[in-house]
Amino acid sequence: MTQVSYREAVRGAIRMAMQADERVFLMGEDVGHYGGCYAVSQGLLDEFGPERIRDTPLSESAFTGAGIGAALGGMRPIVEVMTCNFSLLSIDQIMNNAATIRHMSGGQFTVPVVIRMATGGGRQLAAQHSHSLEGWYAHIPGIRVLAPATVEDAAGMLAPALDDPDPVLIFENALLYNDTADVDDAVAVDIDHAVIRREGSDISLITYGGSLGKTLAAAEELAAQDISAEVLDLRILRPLDEAAILATVSKTQRCVIVDEGWRSGSLAAEIMARIIEHAFWTLDAPLARVCSEEVPVPYARHLEEAALPSTEKIVAAALAVLGR
Amino acid sequence: MSKAALKVRLTREHCRTLLHQMLRVRRFEEKCAELYTQEKIRGFLHLYIGQEAVATGVMQALGPEDAVVATYREHGHALLKGVSAEAIMAEMYGKQEGCSRGRGGSMHLFDARTRFYGGNAIVAGGLPIAVGLALADKLAGRQRVTACFFGEGAAAEGEFHESLNLAALWRLPVLFVCENNLYAMGTALDLSESETSIAAKAACYRIGSETVDGMDVVAVEVAARRAIAALQEAGAPQFLECRTYRFRAHSMYDPQLYRTKDEVEQWKERGPIKRFQEWALASGELHANDVHEIEKEVALEVAQAVAVAEAGTWEPVEHLLRHVGAEQRI
Ligand SMILES: Cc1ncc(C[n+]2csc(CCOP(=O)(O)OP(=O)(O)O)c2C)c(N)n1
C-alpha cells in the first residue's frame, strides 16, 4: 500500500499497462513534453520515448480517429482528450466510428481503444471548460463509459479497460486529481458493477464521479440527524448496473440521484425511468434528483457553486424525500 | 522498386486484367441499379460508374496485405480488393450472408480477410482511420500500405487537413487517393473551394502529390505505382488526385439539376472503359473475342452474386442486439 494521488494513480496505471504490453501507447495534446495538461503523464516521455508517449497537434478528430484506426490495426492505444468539452471535436469519430464499426461490420472488426478525458466544473473556468458530458456518451450503444470516483478506481480501471475488446471512455473528474489515498499497487477494479460506498437503510443516494465526495458528505450530515443513507457509486455509466440500482432502492424505498450533468435528458433521468419501470411498487416516496442547473456553467464563484450539485442541495433533497 | 518495375508493361494479359476489373465493377453496379428499381436493394445507393479507372488502377499497385479505407461509393473498391461479389450483393440485400452480415448495407461494406475497412458514410470520416491503421503498421514495424479513397468534397472538412498533417508529421505509409469527380453531391468544386487543386492542398503539408487523369486506367496505375514506390522510399505518405467524373446521379434520388446532359455526354466520350477498350482493340493487344469472353465471365459472376443474394437468409430478429459489443469480454 502506498499513498498516491488520483493523478499519480492514473499515471501508474498507464505506466504499468505500457510495461505489460508493447502495443499500448498514449497519445494526445501535450501528453509528452508538457507532461499532460493535468500532469497525469509527467515523466512518461523520458521513460517510454516519443513513439509511445505521442504528442499530437490540436486535431481532436484526427488523433481520436487515428487511435481508432490503430486499434483496428492491432494496437492498444490510450487517447487522451484534454477535457470532454473538446471531445465534441472528436465526437464524430467516437460515435460514427468507434461505437459503430463492430456492428456495421457484422462483428468482424473490434475497436479496443481507450479514450480518457477530464470532466466537470468547480474550478471557475467558465462554460467551455466545465461541462459534464459523460451522460451524452452514456447514451451511445457500442461503447463502455467509466467514471472513476476514487483513487483506487483511477488506479485499477485502466487495465480492464485496455483488455476490453470494445471502445472504453474514461471520464476523470478534474477536481479529483489531487485526492489522495492508500492504494495497492496492483489493484484490480471490476468495470461491470456499481459499488456501495456506504451502507444505509433509510434512503439511497445514487451518484458517480466527482459528486461522490459531496454525496458521502451529505450522508454524513444526514447521519448526524439520525438518517441512515446508503450511497451507491455507479462507477460504470454504460452499461448501467441496473441490478445494483434496483437493489438499493428496493432496500431503502427512497432515492435521490446526484448527477453533475444537466437535468434535462440526463443520466439521472434515465436512472429515474428505470426505477419507475422496475421498482415503482417498492417506493415509499417520489424520487428526487440533484443535477446541474440548466445553464452553461458560469465563471463567478458564487454563480458556479449555485449551478453545480452541492452537499447542501443533496441533504435538502434527501430531507424533502423523507418528508422532514 | 526499380525504374523498370515502375513502368507498367501492357502485355495482353495485363490489358485483359485491367479491362476485366473495370467491367466487373461496371456490370455489377448496373445490376445494382436495376435491383434498386426493383426494390431488392434499399437505402442509399451511390454508383461508381464512370470512375472505375481510379480504383482499378490504384488497386493494381496494392498487395493483399495492404489495407483499404473507402467511402459510401465503395462497391468497386470492395470488389477489387477481393471481397466476393456474392458477399457484397448479399450485403446490399441485407442478408446475413453479406460481408457485414446485413448490418452495413451499401454504404458500409467491411471485410476483415481482405483488410477492407469500410465503407464510411461520413464525408472525411475514413481519413483519420487510415492514419491510425498506418500508425499501427509503423509501430509494429510492418511494411504495409493503407490506401484511403475519398471524394474532393472531403477536402473541405477539417478531418482532411488534420489527417494529412498527422500523416506527414509522423511519416506514415498512407496513400491518399482523392477521386475528384468535380461535384460534391450537387456542389461544383469551384463553388466550394478557394483552391481547386486538391493536390496543391496536400502539397502544403509537404506530402508528395500528383494529379492524374482519372479516366485513364493506365495513367492511374503508373501514378499509383510511382506513389507507392515514393512512399516506401521516403517512408512518408503520398497523395494522388485523380480527375474523374461520375456518369450517374450522386445517389438514386438525385435529379441532377446542377449539370447539363451535354456535360455528362462529353465526359462519357472519355469514359474509362470505352477509351481503354477501344485503344486495346485498335493496338491489337486485345481482340473482339477477348472482350466477348470477359463480358461472359463478368456476367456469370454477377448472376452468381444475385443468385446467392436471392437465396440468402434473413438474420433472425432475435439477433438484433448482436455485434454491438463483444459477446464475451476479456
Ligand atoms: C460529414 C458529412 N456531411 C455531409 C454528408 C452528406 N453527403 C453525402 S455524400 C456528399 C458529397 C460528397 O462529395 P465528395 O466527397 O466529392 O464525394 P463523391 O460523392 O463525389 O464521391 C455529401 C455532402 C455526409 N455524408 N457526411
Short mmCIF file of all heavy atoms in Angstrom, two decimals, chain A residues 51 54-55 57 59 61-62 65-66 68-70 73 75 92-93 96-97 102-109 142 144 164-166 192, chain B residues 99-101 103-104 108 110-112 117 120 122 125 128-129 132-133 135-136 139 142 159 162 165-166 170 322-326 329:
data_model
loop_
_atom_site.label_atom_id
_atom_site.label_comp_id
_atom_site.label_asym_id
_atom_site.label_seq_id
_atom_site.Cartn_x
_atom_site.Cartn_y
_atom_site.Cartn_z
N GLU A 51 7.74 7.77 -29.35
CA GLU A 51 6.89 6.88 -30.15
C GLU A 51 5.68 6.45 -29.36
O GLU A 51 4.59 6.29 -29.91
CB GLU A 51 7.67 5.60 -30.51
CG GLU A 51 8.70 5.75 -31.60
CD GLU A 51 8.08 5.56 -32.97
OE1 GLU A 51 7.78 4.42 -33.33
OE2 GLU A 51 7.89 6.56 -33.67
N ARG A 54 3.03 10.07 -27.25
CA ARG A 54 3.00 10.74 -28.54
C ARG A 54 2.23 12.05 -28.46
O ARG A 54 1.01 12.06 -28.28
CB ARG A 54 2.32 9.76 -29.52
CG ARG A 54 2.33 10.15 -30.95
CD ARG A 54 1.89 8.97 -31.80
NE ARG A 54 2.98 8.03 -32.03
CZ ARG A 54 3.75 8.05 -33.13
NH1 ARG A 54 3.53 8.92 -34.08
NH2 ARG A 54 4.72 7.18 -33.25
N ASP A 55 2.96 13.15 -28.56
CA ASP A 55 2.31 14.46 -28.61
C ASP A 55 1.59 14.61 -29.95
O ASP A 55 2.15 14.29 -31.00
CB ASP A 55 3.35 15.57 -28.51
CG ASP A 55 3.74 15.85 -27.06
OD1 ASP A 55 2.86 15.81 -26.19
OD2 ASP A 55 4.94 16.11 -26.82
N PRO A 57 -0.82 17.21 -32.62
CA PRO A 57 -1.28 18.57 -32.87
C PRO A 57 -2.70 18.76 -32.31
O PRO A 57 -3.32 17.81 -31.86
CB PRO A 57 -1.31 18.67 -34.41
CG PRO A 57 -0.66 17.44 -34.92
CD PRO A 57 -0.71 16.42 -33.85
N SER A 59 -5.74 18.49 -32.99
CA SER A 59 -6.54 17.84 -34.03
C SER A 59 -7.36 16.73 -33.39
O SER A 59 -7.15 15.55 -33.67
CB SER A 59 -5.62 17.22 -35.09
OG SER A 59 -4.73 18.17 -35.61
N SER A 61 -10.23 15.44 -33.72
CA SER A 61 -10.90 14.46 -34.56
C SER A 61 -9.90 13.48 -35.17
O SER A 61 -10.11 12.26 -35.15
CB SER A 61 -11.68 15.18 -35.65
OG SER A 61 -12.55 14.31 -36.26
N ALA A 62 -8.81 14.02 -35.70
CA ALA A 62 -7.84 13.15 -36.38
C ALA A 62 -7.12 12.23 -35.41
O ALA A 62 -6.94 11.06 -35.68
CB ALA A 62 -6.83 13.99 -37.17
N GLY A 65 -9.54 9.60 -34.17
CA GLY A 65 -9.75 8.65 -35.26
C GLY A 65 -8.52 7.79 -35.50
O GLY A 65 -8.62 6.60 -35.78
N ALA A 66 -7.34 8.40 -35.33
CA ALA A 66 -6.11 7.63 -35.51
C ALA A 66 -6.00 6.57 -34.41
O ALA A 66 -5.50 5.46 -34.65
CB ALA A 66 -4.89 8.55 -35.51
N ILE A 68 -8.52 5.08 -33.12
CA ILE A 68 -9.47 4.06 -33.55
C ILE A 68 -8.84 3.19 -34.65
O ILE A 68 -8.91 1.96 -34.60
CB ILE A 68 -10.78 4.72 -34.02
CG1 ILE A 68 -11.47 5.40 -32.83
CG2 ILE A 68 -11.71 3.72 -34.69
CD1 ILE A 68 -12.54 6.41 -33.21
N GLY A 69 -8.20 3.84 -35.59
CA GLY A 69 -7.53 3.11 -36.67
C GLY A 69 -6.41 2.23 -36.12
O GLY A 69 -6.24 1.08 -36.54
N ALA A 70 -5.64 2.76 -35.19
CA ALA A 70 -4.54 1.98 -34.62
C ALA A 70 -5.09 0.77 -33.87
O ALA A 70 -4.50 -0.32 -33.91
CB ALA A 70 -3.69 2.85 -33.71
N GLY A 73 -5.88 -1.72 -36.22
CA GLY A 73 -4.64 -2.28 -36.73
C GLY A 73 -3.90 -3.15 -35.71
O GLY A 73 -2.78 -3.57 -35.97
N MET A 75 -3.15 -2.37 -32.35
CA MET A 75 -2.52 -1.72 -31.21
C MET A 75 -3.53 -1.56 -30.08
O MET A 75 -4.72 -1.86 -30.23
CB MET A 75 -1.96 -0.36 -31.61
CG MET A 75 -0.96 -0.41 -32.75
SD MET A 75 0.49 -1.44 -32.41
CE MET A 75 1.38 -0.38 -31.26
N ASP A 92 -17.54 12.88 -33.74
CA ASP A 92 -17.82 12.15 -34.98
C ASP A 92 -17.09 10.81 -34.97
O ASP A 92 -17.67 9.76 -35.25
CB ASP A 92 -17.38 12.98 -36.19
CG ASP A 92 -17.22 12.13 -37.45
OD1 ASP A 92 -18.20 11.45 -37.82
OD2 ASP A 92 -16.14 12.15 -38.06
N GLN A 93 -15.82 10.85 -34.64
CA GLN A 93 -15.03 9.61 -34.64
C GLN A 93 -15.51 8.64 -33.56
O GLN A 93 -15.57 7.43 -33.77
CB GLN A 93 -13.55 9.94 -34.44
CG GLN A 93 -12.91 10.58 -35.67
CD GLN A 93 -12.90 9.66 -36.87
OE1 GLN A 93 -12.83 8.45 -36.74
NE2 GLN A 93 -13.01 10.23 -38.05
N ASN A 96 -19.52 7.83 -34.69
CA ASN A 96 -19.75 7.23 -36.01
C ASN A 96 -18.77 6.12 -36.35
O ASN A 96 -19.05 5.32 -37.23
CB ASN A 96 -19.70 8.31 -37.09
CG ASN A 96 -20.97 9.15 -37.10
OD1 ASN A 96 -22.06 8.62 -36.98
ND2 ASN A 96 -20.83 10.46 -37.22
N ASN A 97 -17.62 6.10 -35.70
CA ASN A 97 -16.67 5.02 -35.98
C ASN A 97 -16.45 4.09 -34.79
O ASN A 97 -16.76 2.90 -34.87
CB ASN A 97 -15.34 5.59 -36.48
CG ASN A 97 -15.46 6.13 -37.90
OD1 ASN A 97 -16.24 5.61 -38.70
ND2 ASN A 97 -14.74 7.17 -38.23
N ARG A 102 -17.89 -2.17 -35.08
CA ARG A 102 -18.16 -3.58 -34.81
C ARG A 102 -19.51 -3.99 -35.41
O ARG A 102 -19.62 -5.00 -36.10
CB ARG A 102 -18.15 -3.88 -33.31
CG ARG A 102 -18.55 -5.32 -33.03
CD ARG A 102 -18.80 -5.56 -31.55
NE ARG A 102 -17.57 -5.60 -30.77
CZ ARG A 102 -16.79 -6.67 -30.65
NH1 ARG A 102 -17.10 -7.80 -31.29
NH2 ARG A 102 -15.71 -6.64 -29.92
N HIS A 103 -20.49 -3.17 -35.15
CA HIS A 103 -21.84 -3.52 -35.61
C HIS A 103 -21.95 -3.47 -37.13
O HIS A 103 -22.45 -4.40 -37.76
CB HIS A 103 -22.85 -2.58 -34.96
CG HIS A 103 -24.27 -2.95 -35.26
ND1 HIS A 103 -24.91 -3.97 -34.61
CD2 HIS A 103 -25.14 -2.45 -36.14
CE1 HIS A 103 -26.14 -4.08 -35.08
NE2 HIS A 103 -26.30 -3.17 -36.01
N MET A 104 -21.46 -2.37 -37.70
CA MET A 104 -21.60 -2.20 -39.15
C MET A 104 -20.82 -3.25 -39.91
O MET A 104 -21.12 -3.53 -41.08
CB MET A 104 -21.12 -0.81 -39.59
CG MET A 104 -21.99 0.33 -39.10
SD MET A 104 -21.64 1.90 -39.94
CE MET A 104 -19.88 2.06 -39.73
N SER A 105 -19.79 -3.81 -39.28
CA SER A 105 -19.01 -4.83 -39.97
C SER A 105 -19.51 -6.23 -39.63
O SER A 105 -18.86 -7.22 -39.94
CB SER A 105 -17.52 -4.71 -39.61
OG SER A 105 -17.30 -5.08 -38.26
N GLY A 106 -20.65 -6.30 -38.99
CA GLY A 106 -21.21 -7.60 -38.66
C GLY A 106 -20.33 -8.38 -37.69
O GLY A 106 -20.27 -9.60 -37.74
N GLY A 107 -19.64 -7.65 -36.83
CA GLY A 107 -18.84 -8.29 -35.80
C GLY A 107 -17.42 -8.65 -36.24
O GLY A 107 -16.68 -9.27 -35.48
N GLN A 108 -17.01 -8.25 -37.43
CA GLN A 108 -15.68 -8.62 -37.91
C GLN A 108 -14.56 -7.82 -37.27
O GLN A 108 -13.47 -8.29 -37.06
CB GLN A 108 -15.58 -8.42 -39.41
CG GLN A 108 -16.37 -9.38 -40.22
CD GLN A 108 -16.22 -9.05 -41.69
OE1 GLN A 108 -15.28 -9.49 -42.33
NE2 GLN A 108 -17.13 -8.28 -42.22
N PHE A 109 -14.85 -6.53 -37.03
CA PHE A 109 -13.80 -5.67 -36.52
C PHE A 109 -14.14 -5.20 -35.11
O PHE A 109 -15.30 -4.92 -34.81
CB PHE A 109 -13.62 -4.44 -37.40
CG PHE A 109 -13.03 -4.76 -38.74
CD1 PHE A 109 -13.77 -4.60 -39.90
CD2 PHE A 109 -11.73 -5.24 -38.84
CE1 PHE A 109 -13.23 -4.91 -41.14
CE2 PHE A 109 -11.19 -5.55 -40.07
CZ PHE A 109 -11.93 -5.38 -41.22
N GLY A 142 -22.47 0.51 -27.88
CA GLY A 142 -21.22 0.17 -28.57
C GLY A 142 -19.99 0.67 -27.86
O GLY A 142 -18.86 0.35 -28.27
N ARG A 144 -18.23 1.59 -23.78
CA ARG A 144 -18.35 1.46 -22.32
C ARG A 144 -17.89 2.79 -21.73
O ARG A 144 -16.92 3.38 -22.19
CB ARG A 144 -17.45 0.31 -21.85
CG ARG A 144 -17.44 0.07 -20.35
CD ARG A 144 -16.67 -1.22 -20.04
NE ARG A 144 -17.41 -2.35 -20.54
CZ ARG A 144 -18.26 -3.08 -19.79
NH1 ARG A 144 -18.43 -2.84 -18.51
NH2 ARG A 144 -18.91 -4.07 -20.34
N ASP A 164 -10.62 -4.71 -22.58
CA ASP A 164 -11.95 -4.76 -23.18
C ASP A 164 -11.81 -4.70 -24.70
O ASP A 164 -11.12 -3.82 -25.22
CB ASP A 164 -12.79 -3.58 -22.67
CG ASP A 164 -14.26 -3.76 -22.98
OD1 ASP A 164 -14.59 -4.01 -24.15
OD2 ASP A 164 -15.08 -3.64 -22.06
N PRO A 165 -12.43 -5.61 -25.42
CA PRO A 165 -12.31 -5.58 -26.88
C PRO A 165 -13.06 -4.40 -27.52
O PRO A 165 -12.88 -4.13 -28.70
CB PRO A 165 -12.93 -6.91 -27.31
CG PRO A 165 -13.71 -7.40 -26.16
CD PRO A 165 -13.18 -6.77 -24.92
N ASP A 166 -13.87 -3.71 -26.76
CA ASP A 166 -14.64 -2.59 -27.31
C ASP A 166 -14.11 -1.25 -26.80
O ASP A 166 -13.35 -1.20 -25.84
CB ASP A 166 -16.11 -2.77 -26.91
CG ASP A 166 -16.73 -3.96 -27.64
OD1 ASP A 166 -16.57 -4.03 -28.87
OD2 ASP A 166 -17.33 -4.82 -26.98
N ASP A 192 -17.67 -3.82 -14.38
CA ASP A 192 -19.03 -4.22 -14.73
C ASP A 192 -20.05 -3.79 -13.69
O ASP A 192 -21.23 -3.72 -14.00
CB ASP A 192 -19.12 -5.75 -14.87
CG ASP A 192 -18.46 -6.23 -16.16
OD1 ASP A 192 -18.81 -5.69 -17.22
OD2 ASP A 192 -17.59 -7.11 -16.09
N CYS B 99 -21.29 -9.28 -46.53
CA CYS B 99 -19.95 -9.12 -45.96
C CYS B 99 -19.99 -8.38 -44.62
O CYS B 99 -19.03 -8.43 -43.86
CB CYS B 99 -19.00 -8.46 -46.95
SG CYS B 99 -19.49 -6.80 -47.44
N SER B 100 -21.07 -7.69 -44.32
CA SER B 100 -21.21 -7.09 -42.98
C SER B 100 -22.42 -7.70 -42.26
O SER B 100 -22.99 -7.09 -41.37
CB SER B 100 -21.36 -5.58 -43.08
OG SER B 100 -20.30 -5.00 -43.80
N ARG B 101 -22.76 -8.91 -42.66
CA ARG B 101 -23.89 -9.64 -42.07
C ARG B 101 -25.19 -8.83 -42.04
O ARG B 101 -25.94 -8.84 -41.06
CB ARG B 101 -23.54 -10.12 -40.67
CG ARG B 101 -22.55 -11.25 -40.77
CD ARG B 101 -22.00 -11.68 -39.45
NE ARG B 101 -20.60 -12.02 -39.66
CZ ARG B 101 -19.77 -12.44 -38.72
NH1 ARG B 101 -20.16 -12.55 -37.51
NH2 ARG B 101 -18.54 -12.73 -39.02
N ARG B 103 -25.64 -5.80 -41.60
CA ARG B 103 -25.67 -4.66 -40.67
C ARG B 103 -25.25 -3.35 -41.34
O ARG B 103 -25.51 -2.28 -40.82
CB ARG B 103 -24.73 -4.90 -39.49
CG ARG B 103 -25.01 -6.09 -38.62
CD ARG B 103 -26.38 -6.00 -37.99
NE ARG B 103 -26.51 -6.83 -36.80
CZ ARG B 103 -26.66 -8.15 -36.80
NH1 ARG B 103 -26.64 -8.82 -37.93
NH2 ARG B 103 -26.82 -8.80 -35.66
N GLY B 104 -24.55 -3.47 -42.46
CA GLY B 104 -23.94 -2.27 -43.02
C GLY B 104 -24.65 -1.74 -44.26
O GLY B 104 -24.80 -0.54 -44.44
N HIS B 108 -21.67 0.55 -46.08
CA HIS B 108 -20.77 0.09 -45.03
C HIS B 108 -20.30 -1.33 -45.27
O HIS B 108 -20.54 -2.22 -44.47
CB HIS B 108 -21.45 0.18 -43.66
CG HIS B 108 -21.99 1.54 -43.36
ND1 HIS B 108 -21.17 2.62 -43.13
CD2 HIS B 108 -23.26 2.01 -43.27
CE1 HIS B 108 -21.91 3.69 -42.91
NE2 HIS B 108 -23.18 3.36 -42.99
N PHE B 110 -17.63 -4.13 -45.23
CA PHE B 110 -16.41 -4.39 -44.45
C PHE B 110 -15.96 -5.81 -44.72
O PHE B 110 -16.80 -6.69 -44.91
CB PHE B 110 -16.69 -4.28 -42.95
CG PHE B 110 -16.85 -2.87 -42.43
CD1 PHE B 110 -18.10 -2.27 -42.39
CD2 PHE B 110 -15.75 -2.16 -41.96
CE1 PHE B 110 -18.26 -0.97 -41.90
CE2 PHE B 110 -15.90 -0.87 -41.46
CZ PHE B 110 -17.15 -0.27 -41.43
N ASP B 111 -14.67 -6.04 -44.70
CA ASP B 111 -14.20 -7.41 -44.83
C ASP B 111 -12.82 -7.55 -44.21
O ASP B 111 -11.84 -6.98 -44.70
CB ASP B 111 -14.16 -7.82 -46.31
CG ASP B 111 -13.82 -9.29 -46.46
OD1 ASP B 111 -14.50 -10.14 -45.85
OD2 ASP B 111 -12.85 -9.59 -47.17
N ALA B 112 -12.77 -8.32 -43.13
CA ALA B 112 -11.52 -8.47 -42.39
C ALA B 112 -10.48 -9.24 -43.21
O ALA B 112 -9.31 -8.87 -43.24
CB ALA B 112 -11.78 -9.19 -41.07
N TYR B 117 -11.53 -1.91 -44.80
CA TYR B 117 -12.03 -1.27 -43.58
C TYR B 117 -13.14 -0.25 -43.86
O TYR B 117 -13.16 0.83 -43.29
CB TYR B 117 -10.87 -0.60 -42.83
CG TYR B 117 -9.90 -1.59 -42.23
CD1 TYR B 117 -8.79 -2.05 -42.96
CD2 TYR B 117 -10.08 -2.08 -40.96
CE1 TYR B 117 -7.90 -2.96 -42.41
CE2 TYR B 117 -9.20 -2.99 -40.39
CZ TYR B 117 -8.12 -3.43 -41.12
OH TYR B 117 -7.25 -4.33 -40.57
N ASN B 120 -17.49 4.09 -45.41
CA ASN B 120 -17.75 5.07 -44.36
C ASN B 120 -18.63 6.16 -44.95
O ASN B 120 -18.28 6.77 -45.95
CB ASN B 120 -16.43 5.66 -43.86
CG ASN B 120 -16.59 6.30 -42.50
OD1 ASN B 120 -17.51 7.09 -42.30
ND2 ASN B 120 -15.72 5.97 -41.58
N ILE B 122 -19.58 8.98 -43.56
CA ILE B 122 -19.34 10.33 -43.07
C ILE B 122 -18.22 10.91 -43.94
O ILE B 122 -17.11 10.36 -43.96
CB ILE B 122 -18.90 10.31 -41.59
CG1 ILE B 122 -19.91 9.55 -40.73
CG2 ILE B 122 -18.70 11.73 -41.08
CD1 ILE B 122 -21.29 10.15 -40.67
N GLY B 125 -14.64 10.94 -42.85
CA GLY B 125 -14.54 10.14 -41.63
C GLY B 125 -13.51 9.02 -41.70
O GLY B 125 -13.01 8.56 -40.68
N PRO B 128 -8.94 9.78 -40.82
CA PRO B 128 -8.22 9.51 -39.56
C PRO B 128 -8.03 8.02 -39.31
O PRO B 128 -7.00 7.61 -38.75
CB PRO B 128 -9.12 10.13 -38.49
CG PRO B 128 -9.94 11.15 -39.20
CD PRO B 128 -10.15 10.59 -40.57
N ILE B 129 -8.98 7.22 -39.72
CA ILE B 129 -8.87 5.78 -39.53
C ILE B 129 -7.67 5.23 -40.33
O ILE B 129 -6.90 4.41 -39.84
CB ILE B 129 -10.15 5.07 -40.02
CG1 ILE B 129 -11.39 5.62 -39.30
CG2 ILE B 129 -10.04 3.56 -39.92
CD1 ILE B 129 -11.74 4.96 -38.04
N GLY B 132 -4.54 6.00 -38.61
CA GLY B 132 -4.32 5.11 -37.47
C GLY B 132 -3.88 3.72 -37.89
O GLY B 132 -3.01 3.12 -37.24
N LEU B 133 -4.45 3.20 -38.95
CA LEU B 133 -4.03 1.88 -39.44
C LEU B 133 -2.55 1.93 -39.84
O LEU B 133 -1.78 1.01 -39.54
CB LEU B 133 -4.89 1.47 -40.64
CG LEU B 133 -6.29 0.94 -40.28
CD1 LEU B 133 -7.19 0.94 -41.52
CD2 LEU B 133 -6.21 -0.47 -39.71
N LEU B 135 -0.37 4.03 -38.69
CA LEU B 135 0.41 4.21 -37.47
C LEU B 135 0.65 2.86 -36.80
O LEU B 135 1.76 2.56 -36.34
CB LEU B 135 -0.34 5.16 -36.51
CG LEU B 135 0.26 5.37 -35.12
CD1 LEU B 135 1.65 5.95 -35.20
CD2 LEU B 135 -0.65 6.28 -34.28
N ALA B 136 -0.38 2.03 -36.78
CA ALA B 136 -0.24 0.70 -36.18
C ALA B 136 0.84 -0.09 -36.93
O ALA B 136 1.68 -0.75 -36.32
CB ALA B 136 -1.57 -0.05 -36.21
N LEU B 139 4.28 1.35 -36.02
CA LEU B 139 4.70 1.00 -34.66
C LEU B 139 5.08 -0.47 -34.56
O LEU B 139 5.97 -0.84 -33.80
CB LEU B 139 3.57 1.32 -33.66
CG LEU B 139 3.33 2.81 -33.41
CD1 LEU B 139 2.09 3.01 -32.55
CD2 LEU B 139 4.54 3.46 -32.74
N ARG B 142 5.74 -3.20 -39.50
CA ARG B 142 5.28 -3.95 -40.68
C ARG B 142 5.38 -3.07 -41.93
O ARG B 142 5.09 -1.90 -41.87
CB ARG B 142 3.81 -4.37 -40.50
CG ARG B 142 3.58 -5.42 -39.42
CD ARG B 142 2.11 -5.80 -39.36
NE ARG B 142 1.28 -4.70 -38.94
CZ ARG B 142 0.61 -4.65 -37.77
NH1 ARG B 142 0.67 -5.66 -36.93
NH2 ARG B 142 -0.11 -3.60 -37.45
N GLU B 159 -11.28 17.23 -40.92
CA GLU B 159 -10.61 15.94 -40.75
C GLU B 159 -9.61 15.67 -41.88
O GLU B 159 -8.62 15.00 -41.67
CB GLU B 159 -11.64 14.80 -40.69
CG GLU B 159 -12.30 14.70 -39.33
CD GLU B 159 -13.26 13.53 -39.20
OE1 GLU B 159 -13.82 13.10 -40.22
OE2 GLU B 159 -13.43 13.05 -38.07
N GLU B 162 -6.53 17.75 -40.83
CA GLU B 162 -5.93 17.17 -39.63
C GLU B 162 -5.20 15.87 -39.98
O GLU B 162 -4.11 15.59 -39.49
CB GLU B 162 -7.01 16.87 -38.58
CG GLU B 162 -7.68 18.12 -38.02
CD GLU B 162 -8.69 17.78 -36.93
OE1 GLU B 162 -8.61 16.69 -36.35
OE2 GLU B 162 -9.55 18.63 -36.64
N ASN B 165 -1.99 16.40 -42.14
CA ASN B 165 -0.94 16.94 -41.28
C ASN B 165 -0.33 15.83 -40.41
O ASN B 165 0.89 15.69 -40.32
CB ASN B 165 -1.51 18.05 -40.40
CG ASN B 165 -0.46 18.72 -39.53
OD1 ASN B 165 0.61 19.07 -40.00
ND2 ASN B 165 -0.76 18.86 -38.25
N LEU B 166 -1.18 15.04 -39.79
CA LEU B 166 -0.69 13.97 -38.91
C LEU B 166 0.13 12.95 -39.69
O LEU B 166 1.21 12.55 -39.26
CB LEU B 166 -1.87 13.22 -38.27
CG LEU B 166 -2.36 13.63 -36.89
CD1 LEU B 166 -3.28 12.54 -36.35
CD2 LEU B 166 -1.22 13.87 -35.93
N TRP B 170 4.06 12.46 -38.90
CA TRP B 170 4.53 11.19 -38.32
C TRP B 170 5.08 10.23 -39.39
O TRP B 170 5.42 9.11 -39.09
CB TRP B 170 3.39 10.51 -37.55
CG TRP B 170 3.00 11.27 -36.32
CD1 TRP B 170 3.69 12.29 -35.71
CD2 TRP B 170 1.81 11.07 -35.52
NE1 TRP B 170 3.01 12.72 -34.60
CE2 TRP B 170 1.86 12.00 -34.45
CE3 TRP B 170 0.73 10.21 -35.61
CZ2 TRP B 170 0.86 12.08 -33.48
CZ3 TRP B 170 -0.27 10.28 -34.65
CH2 TRP B 170 -0.20 11.21 -33.59
N ARG B 322 -27.01 -8.35 -31.49
CA ARG B 322 -25.66 -8.90 -31.67
C ARG B 322 -24.73 -7.88 -32.33
O ARG B 322 -25.15 -7.04 -33.08
CB ARG B 322 -25.71 -10.17 -32.53
CG ARG B 322 -26.25 -11.36 -31.77
CD ARG B 322 -26.13 -12.62 -32.58
NE ARG B 322 -24.72 -12.94 -32.84
CZ ARG B 322 -24.34 -13.86 -33.73
NH1 ARG B 322 -25.22 -14.52 -34.43
NH2 ARG B 322 -23.06 -14.09 -33.90
N HIS B 323 -23.46 -8.00 -32.02
CA HIS B 323 -22.40 -7.18 -32.63
C HIS B 323 -22.47 -5.71 -32.22
O HIS B 323 -22.03 -4.83 -32.95
CB HIS B 323 -22.42 -7.30 -34.16
CG HIS B 323 -22.42 -8.71 -34.64
ND1 HIS B 323 -21.51 -9.64 -34.19
CD2 HIS B 323 -23.25 -9.36 -35.50
CE1 HIS B 323 -21.77 -10.80 -34.78
NE2 HIS B 323 -22.83 -10.66 -35.55
N VAL B 324 -23.05 -5.46 -31.06
CA VAL B 324 -22.96 -4.09 -30.52
C VAL B 324 -21.70 -4.03 -29.67
O VAL B 324 -20.91 -3.08 -29.77
CB VAL B 324 -24.20 -3.72 -29.70
CG1 VAL B 324 -24.03 -2.35 -29.07
CG2 VAL B 324 -25.43 -3.74 -30.60
N GLY B 325 -21.52 -5.04 -28.87
CA GLY B 325 -20.28 -5.17 -28.10
C GLY B 325 -19.84 -6.61 -28.21
O GLY B 325 -20.56 -7.44 -28.75
N ALA B 326 -18.66 -6.90 -27.68
CA ALA B 326 -18.16 -8.27 -27.71
C ALA B 326 -19.15 -9.16 -26.97
O ALA B 326 -19.71 -8.77 -25.96
CB ALA B 326 -16.80 -8.34 -27.06
N ARG B 329 -16.54 -10.54 -22.89
CA ARG B 329 -15.40 -9.65 -22.71
C ARG B 329 -14.24 -10.40 -22.08
O ARG B 329 -14.42 -11.30 -21.30
CB ARG B 329 -15.81 -8.47 -21.82
CG ARG B 329 -16.75 -7.52 -22.56
CD ARG B 329 -16.84 -6.20 -21.87
NE ARG B 329 -17.10 -6.34 -20.44
CZ ARG B 329 -16.25 -5.99 -19.50
NH1 ARG B 329 -15.10 -5.48 -19.81
NH2 ARG B 329 -16.57 -6.13 -18.24
#
